[in-house]
Amino acid sequence: MRLPEPDIESIEAALASLTETDGRDLTIPPVTSGVTSFCAEGALLQFVVTWARRYPRATTAVFSGLVGDTETFEVNLKKELGLPYVVAAWVLANRLYDSNNRVLKRREAKGFADFLDAMDNFEFHSTHETVETRANLMCVQGSKREFIRPFYEQVKTSWRVKPEGDVRVVIQDILAQLAGSWPAKYLREVADPLAHLVRELVENSDWWARADHRGVEYDKGIRAVTLRLRDIDDANMHMFAAGNTHIHSYLLHHLTTHPRVRKDAHPSSHAGLVRNLSFIELTMVDSGPGLARRWLASRPENKRSVDMLSEISLAEEEEAVIECFKKWRTTSGNSLRGVGLFSVASLLRKRHGFLRLRTGRLAFLFGTQSAISDIETQLKRYDLTDDYIKLRDGTHVFLQDKIMVFFLRPWAEAELGAVEGTSYSILLPV
């Protein structure tokens, strides 16, 4: 099978087909300079992880843009390894081939080591060789550098996630390299919420994504945090939405209402002014067991180990995922934890963010103005004495002092194909 096109609908269709076809061979097309739509990068990485976990010890990745015995091989490979989903295929596949069916060796990926060196040295603009304004922060489980070093500190013989203040310094450094024209005050203003989001998601994955639902550490795995800075305007918005109504609605609303919207002169072939607004896309993907299986196996009471999601109903899986977002819910045994995902979601509401969450057979969204208005209207018919309500349309609403803090609305009506790991794709207008 071929890696799907970089849009949500194509990726979801390919995930559904994994259960219907023998897809042990995956063709990775050449990296192009085209636009990767919002939320698709995390979905592509998660697709590769799911493919590799679906066929353990039997997967073959064919890199159709590489020819191994040429002078340009290392240069071309390095360009491709600037995209996390290509790294995932390179690391997780059992066998690697070039376009001429020549066997490739993992040690040939010297360029990826250069990217890791750049990450460790805080040279975030050099963690890829794409044309995008981005930073890749990745780690490969089972390797010598299996932690995203800028976010970790070593205490004796173990590694742990740095305090939020230290993570904030890292995020400020990343933003300074991505947005060199921003004044220092604005860098700090944007870095504060991003640092909180990043730290909570990294710590969450550190707790739960390095081992399977039985607590056995994976031999191989991958975790990735990427940040992209993109300028969106009336002319290119459709490319970043890629036909998805949720993303299009969110972008259009902020291009219409956000106070930082700029009105620039349109190219000479068009008349009038065009609205322009920058967005940070934060993507966090892990190759762990997913939210539902880890919650069921580790919840305070009635622990249950689920090998395959088909062993439980979709309703039970959904209930488990929602429990992960309720305040003070924790499976870590640490009474100080239990606000991580809740705080991530509530911060998104304050910063007018957008979220796509994908785990197991479920996908949820947060952040479109149409959904917010609809939910607020529906809530008028409910008794708001509880801190959680499930609406008739399947939307999960989380409240505090009778006020909606955030929500998770089903991404689609149809049941989705099961994925491995958890993917968070977050948009923030800046």
Side-chain angles (χ1 to χ4, degrees):
M1 66 184 304
R2 184 179 177 86
L3 189 79
E5 293 297 315
D7 63 80
I8 297 299
E9 284 69 25
S10 298
I11 297 166
E12 289 297 349
L15 283 166
S17 71
L18 278 179
T19 60
E20 303 168 357
T21 60
D22 185 350
R24 289 177 174 83
D25 295 349
L26 180 65
T27 298
I28 311 295
V31 172
T32 66
S33 58
V35 168
T36 299
S37 60
F38 281 140
C39 302
E41 179 159 297
L44 279 174
L45 176 51
Q46 195 171 33
F47 173 86
V48 173
V49 169
T50 303
W51 163 77
R53 296 271 194 247
R54 187 68 50 85
Y55 305 104
R57 298 179 296 279
T59 52
T60 298
V62 180
F63 296 86
S64 63
L66 298 176
V67 180
D69 55 354
T70 61
E71 293 181 357
T72 59
F73 169 70
E74 287 190 10
V75 173
N76 293 335
L77 176 57
K78 189 172 183 179
K79 289 180 180 178
E80 301 215 356
L81 292 174
L83 293 176
Y85 68 84
V86 178
V87 177
W90 188 271
V91 169
L92 298 177
N94 300 111
R95 295 175 297 275
L96 310 173
Y97 291 95
D98 71 1
S99 58
N100 292 332
N101 210 33
R102 171 188 177 273
V103 175
L104 300 174
K105 303 295 184 182
R106 271 180 246 281
R107 63 174 178 269
E108 294 178 294
K110 299 175 184 177
F112 182 60
D114 293 341
F115 295 152
L116 292 179
D117 289 340
M119 179 183 74
D120 292 349
N121 293 328
F122 281 43
E123 298 170 356
F124 300 109
H125 59 283
S126 299
T127 55
H128 64 97
E129 285 195 355
T130 74
V131 298
E132 294 186 315
T133 305
R134 65 182 296 133
N136 294 342
L137 298 99
M138 304 181 63
C139 64
V140 176
Q141 189 160 338
S143 69
K144 294 181 180 179
R145 293 190 281 189
E146 69 169 289
F147 296 97
I148 301 175
R149 298 292 177 85
F151 296 146
Y152 281 78
E153 60 186 6
Q154 190 169 18
V155 180
K156 296 182 180 179
T157 59
S158 62
W159 291 85
R160 69 181 183 190
V161 182
K162 291 179 179 178
E164 188 168 318
D166 293 340
V167 173
R168 186 182 302 114
V169 173
V170 177
I171 297 300
Q172 286 179 2
D173 202 343
I174 293 173
L175 293 177
Q177 295 180 42
L178 299 186
S181 63
W182 287 4
K185 181 180 179 181
Y186 191 61
L187 278 173
R188 292 192 296 270
E189 182 181 332
V190 175
D192 283 353
L194 268 179
H196 182 76
L197 292 172
V198 168
R199 189 189 185 281
E200 290 294 347
L201 293 176
V202 169
E203 186 173 50
N204 194 269
S205 70
D206 185 70
W207 271 94
W208 303 117
R210 297 177 58 232
D212 65 17
H213 60 289
R214 298 180 183 276
V216 179
E217 288 199 6
Y218 293 107
D219 291 332
K220 290 196 297 184
I222 194 163
R223 287 185 290 156
V225 177
T226 64
L227 292 100
R228 292 198 301 167
L229 178 63
R230 303 304 306 231
D231 289 336
I232 306 300
D233 59 36
D234 295 303
N236 68 15
M237 177 176 57
H238 70 283
M239 293 188 292
F240 287 92
N244 185 271
T245 55
H246 303 310
I247 300 173
H248 184 273
S249 172
Y250 174 78
L251 296 177
L252 180 60
H253 172 75
H254 285 288
L255 278 175
T256 305
T257 64
H258 199 276
R260 291 187 65 85
V261 168
R262 305 175 296 276
K263 293 185 177 180
D264 304 324
H266 218 295
S268 57
S269 58
H270 299 273
L273 299 176
V274 62
R275 297 168 298 186
N276 187 300
L277 181 63
S278 298
F279 288 82
I280 286 282
E281 181 182 27
L282 167 63
T283 301
M284 172 76 206
V285 183
D286 66 56
S287 56
L291 294 181
R293 286 196 292 169
R294 81 184 194 197
W295 171 263
L296 293 172
S298 308
R299 59 188 174 185
E301 298 177 353
N302 302 318
K303 293 180 174 61
R304 180 181 179 185
S305 182
V306 175
D307 292 324
M308 299 289 292
L309 287 172
S310 57
E311 298 174 19
I312 61 175
S313 68
L314 194 61
E316 187 175 0
E317 180 187 356
E318 185 170 350
E319 181 181 356
V321 171
I322 296 306
E323 284 295 314
C324 296
F325 281 85
K326 291 182 179 178
K327 197 173 185 179
W328 305 119
R329 301 300 199 271
T330 179
T331 58
S332 67
N334 184 342
S335 62
L336 298 179
R337 290 183 57 83
V339 295
L341 293 183
F342 180 91
S343 68
V344 165
S346 52
L347 179 58
L348 286 176
R349 177 71 192 272
K350 296 176 183 176
R351 300 293 302 191
H352 308 291
F354 177 90
L355 165 71
R356 183 179 193 262
L357 165 67
R358 186 70 165 91
T359 184
R361 295 169 292 183
L362 302 168
F364 296 101
L365 70 92
F366 166 85
T368 62
Q369 186 57 43
S370 59
I372 292 172
S373 300
D374 176 58
I375 293 167
E376 289 177 339
T377 299
Q378 291 191 58
L379 285 176
K380 294 176 182 179
R381 301 193 292 267
Y382 286 81
D383 178 6
L384 304 183
T385 55
D386 295 327
D387 59 2
Y388 164 78
I389 293 174
K390 183 177 181 180
L391 302 180
R392 292 179 181 178
D393 64 5
T395 301
H396 304 271
V397 185
F398 304 81
L399 304 105
Q400 190 166 298
D401 298 327
K402 299 185 178 183
I403 297 174
M404 177 174 64
V405 179
F406 70 99
F407 62 87
L408 292 173
R409 169 163 281 189
W411 183 269
E413 294 182 3
E415 182 175 333
L416 303 174
V419 294
E420 296 288 332
T422 303
S423 171
Y424 301 89
S425 297
I426 294 171
L427 298 176
L428 291 177
V430 292

